Amino acid sequence: MKTIDLRSDTITLPTDEMIEAIVNAHKAGRLGDDVIGEDEVVNELQEKAAKILGKEAALLVTSGTQGNLVSLLAQTRRGDEVVVEEQSHTFMFEGGAMASLGGLFPKPVHGERGYILPETLESAISPDNPHYARTSLVVCENTHNYAGGTITRPEQVDALAAVAHDHGLKIHCDGARLFNAAVALDVPAKRLVDNADSVQICLSKGLSAPVGSVIAGTEEFIHEAHRTRKKVGGGMRQAGIIAAPGIIALEKMVDRLKEDHENAKLLYERVKGIPNLVIDEPETNILFLGLQNLSISQMKLSEELAKENIKVYGGYGVRTRMVMNRMVSRDDVDRVAVALERLLK
Ligand SMILES: Cc1ncc(COP(=O)(O)O)c(C=O)c1O
């Protein structure tokens, strides 16, 4: 029986075309030492990404976590305060890197379905007074993982950016799944970061590349980010072997994210009627099942599903997360729905 893996969209394997692109880049002599800017494939990816994101320049990094860290460190000084949503990835799931490696002081605030309201940011900014850390940056996560793949709309980003900029703050977009938001809203990805100073996108989630993220912003920001990336060990040599699949990810995999969104909706429609199950209609590819009013625990549910070769992530307390991805078909969704209907009733 096929294993259906709903733990994350990071489990997606590269396509054959991606692997061929690595080999072809090598055969064409396009690989080189990227630390000295000589890998043609990396340069192509960075130019393409900058264009798609509407920014002056871009930089390949090893992961989303590294991209967020480099973006934050390149735009702040040690001891500065960074406003983050209280359930954001940068605050909860990046090993406390901004504090331990950057000396940054995270200030978590409550968001509405992951979105920090402009008035919340306004009141979180510390006065310019020696008693306080200097508030210098705000992070906007789009889509928001822990809130359930929720979308921050362009006008909402603009409104948050306006408050940030009025107070001299930078705004960084953790766009690990920015293209999911863009595809769901049918807007160009760049519209979602028009007013963001920096953005990080993951190539290795729904877009299915095996490794890598890209950060983008002004030439000045990328110049600084280059040095910061080196400091955190992110300077890579023949990194074209990462960039080659990354180019395919940007060129050919964005539109297919719609399939993941359709599958998430399909599963939602199938299970929403189960009594006492708490589930929000998915905006993109992430679903959370709230189990607090049911007799089955998150642990038990994942064990029972595992017996049927269906993998889901634990670690979300009384919620079970399911993430649609390229390895999951409509038929698989049907199998998951049947299993849930049986186990949750
Ligand atoms: C919203 C968000 N930001 C950043 C990351 C970090 O990406 P990576 O796993 O490549 O470090 C993730 C990973 O799941 C994420 O969901």
Side-chain angles (χ1 to χ4, degrees):
M1 203 196 314
K2 176 186 168 186
T3 296
I4 303 172
D5 198 339
L6 297 171
R7 289 173 301 170
S8 178
D9 42 12
T10 54
I11 60 90
T12 44
L13 297 175
T15 61
D16 291 348
E17 194 179 359
M18 289 179 177
I19 301 298
E20 280 156 23
I22 299 173
V23 175
N24 292 341
H26 174 51
K27 283 189 182 153
R30 300 188 70 217
L31 301 178
D33 188 340
D34 179 52
V35 171
I36 49 175
E38 289 184 359
D39 191 302
E40 289 176 21
V41 194
V42 173
N43 295 339
E44 183 188 334
L45 170 72
Q46 291 175 167
E47 277 161 33
K48 190 175 283 292
K51 202 162 171 204
I52 291 171
L53 296 167
K55 300 293 179 200
E56 288 173 13
L59 188 70
L60 174 66
V61 290
T62 58
S63 66
T65 301
Q66 188 181 70
N68 287 335
L69 179 66
V70 168
S71 299
L72 265 49
L73 299 196
Q75 298 183 94
T76 53
R77 284 182 276 175
R78 274 189 91 73
D80 282 0
E81 183 173 73
V82 172
V83 179
V84 285
E85 202 279 329
E86 62 191 351
Q87 295 185 322
S88 63
H89 202 275
T90 38
F91 182 54
M92 286 177 67
F93 302 121
E94 298 187 2
M98 78 168 86
S100 59
L101 302 176
L104 295 172
F105 182 46
K107 184 184 259 185
V109 296
H110 180 69
E112 298 293 331
R113 291 172 64 78
Y115 173 60
I116 301 173
L117 294 172
E119 53 269 35
T120 305
L121 173 62
E122 184 106 47
S123 53
I125 297 170
S126 298
D128 184 9
N129 169 315
H131 289 90
Y132 302 98
R134 186 190 301 105
T135 317
S136 64
L137 189 143
V138 58
V139 179
C140 169
E141 183 174 316
N142 198 10
T143 64
H144 194 290
N145 168 26
Y146 206 90
T150 50
I151 296 171
T152 297
R153 288 165 171 70
E155 321 76 65
Q156 292 177 299
V157 183
D158 296 346
L160 189 64
V163 172
H165 292 152
D166 277 353
H167 292 269
L169 274 64
K170 301 277 190 201
I171 174 165
H172 170 67
C173 173
D174 175 359
R177 298 185 182 82
L178 189 75
F179 292 103
N180 291 83
V183 158
L185 294 175
D186 197 19
V187 297
K190 65 178 164 196
R191 176 61 192 96
L192 292 164
V193 290
D194 265 351
N195 288 305
D197 298 284
S198 57
V199 53
Q200 178 277 120
I201 52 151
C202 285
L203 303 167
S204 60
K205 297 196 161 59
L207 300 185
S208 304
V211 186
S213 276
V214 175
I215 57 175
T218 60
E219 296 273 7
E220 192 187 350
F221 161 68
I222 290 298
H223 181 74
E224 190 56 32
H226 223 279
R227 178 177 287 116
T228 312
R229 184 187 70 170
K230 186 73 182 147
K231 284 196 241 179
V232 295
M236 297 176 284
R237 303 299 175 174
Q238 285 74 44
I241 62 167
I242 293 173
I247 291 170
I248 310 273
L250 292 180
E251 282 179 347
K252 305 211 170 156
M253 306 303 277
V254 172
D255 274 352
R256 67 144 309 280
L257 295 173
K258 287 179 197 152
E259 290 163 32
D260 298 344
H261 300 174
E262 281 160 18
N263 282 341
K265 283 243 160 52
L266 198 65
L267 186 60
Y268 167 77
E269 290 299 334
R270 289 286 298 272
V271 301
K272 69 176 184 192
I274 296 176
N276 295 324
L277 178 70
V278 179
I279 181 168
D280 285 333
E281 182 166 357
E283 292 181 33
T284 55
N285 66 330
I286 301 179
L287 287 155
F288 276 99
L289 311 183
L291 306 179
Q292 54 268 55
N293 301 317
L294 292 159
S295 55
I296 192 163
S297 68
Q298 198 278 329
M299 188 65 82
K300 182 78 180 150
L301 179 63
S302 48
E303 281 167 11
E304 290 300 319
L305 288 172
K307 287 181 195 162
E308 303 188 33
N309 288 347
I310 299 169
K311 292 184 177 180
V312 295
Y313 245 154
Y316 286 95
V318 289
R319 298 192 306 162
T320 290
R321 189 180 79 154
M322 297 185 165
V323 185
M324 294 301 159
N325 62 76
R326 202 185 100 248
M327 319 307 279
V328 179
S329 68
R330 272 181 97 86
D331 286 350
D332 296 339
V333 172
D334 186 58
R335 219 177 95 202
V336 174
V338 169
L340 288 175
E341 278 157 1
R342 196 177 59 254
L343 291 165
L344 298 179
K345 263 180 187 156

